[in-house]
Amino acid sequence: MTVNASTDLDTLADFFDRYGVALTSGDLPAIAGCYALPGLVVADTYSFSFTSAAAVALSFVGAAPDYQDRELVAAHARIEDVQPVSALLTMVAVEWEFLDSRGQAVPGERYRYLLRMSDDGPLICTVVRTG
């Protein structure tokens, strides 16, 4: 699959927009649909993998109530860096920016996502929390 840089960035922005909506609305099936299987999450003090859509959904069960408790109603992924790794793999650095129910910006976290391009678009293979 050969696409130009602007299409790649548009594709990535659309993907992270869908992912952000799924996260803040607690749409577990949509979140799971954003992941390649098996998938891996890596942070400073833990790592875990999942091999099924159900396992992905279970790992995000606590996220939606957390967003609701913090009154976060929208998430925007600010793409900071895109590094092609191979023909189908891309490493994307993202800073999440959130809006609360009063329309105020709330600082988010930074992640790196290893994405695999599929016939249906990007899928997350690995997530690394970077700050």
Side-chain angles (χ1 to χ4, degrees), residues 36-50:
L37 298 174
L40 180 65
V41 174
V42 180
D44 286 342
T45 57
Y46 64 88
S47 301
F48 64 88
S49 62
F50 31 75

Side-chain angles (χ1 to χ4, degrees), residues 18-97:
R18 285 194 322 272
Y19 186 55
V21 168
L23 288 172
T24 54
S25 67
D27 186 341
L28 298 178
I31 292 170
C34 291
Y35 281 81
L37 298 174
L40 180 65
V41 174
V42 180
D44 286 342
T45 57
Y46 64 88
S47 301
F48 64 88
S49 62
F50 31 75
T51 57
S52 69
V56 175
L58 278 175
S59 70
F60 282 94
V61 163
D66 179 56
Y67 290 133
Q68 290 167 356
D69 289 347
R70 294 165 54 196
E71 296 184 18
L72 301 179
V73 296
H76 172 71
R78 190 167 62 81
I79 296 172
E80 297 180 320
D81 188 38
V82 178
Q83 297 177 341
V85 175
S86 70
L88 296 177
L89 296 174
T90 303
M91 183 67 75
V92 181
V94 169
E95 179 184 13
W96 286 99
E97 300 168 333

Side-chain angles (χ1 to χ4, degrees), residues 10 12 42 46 74 110 122:
D10 289 345
L12 294 173
V42 180
Y46 64 88
R110 285 185 159 86

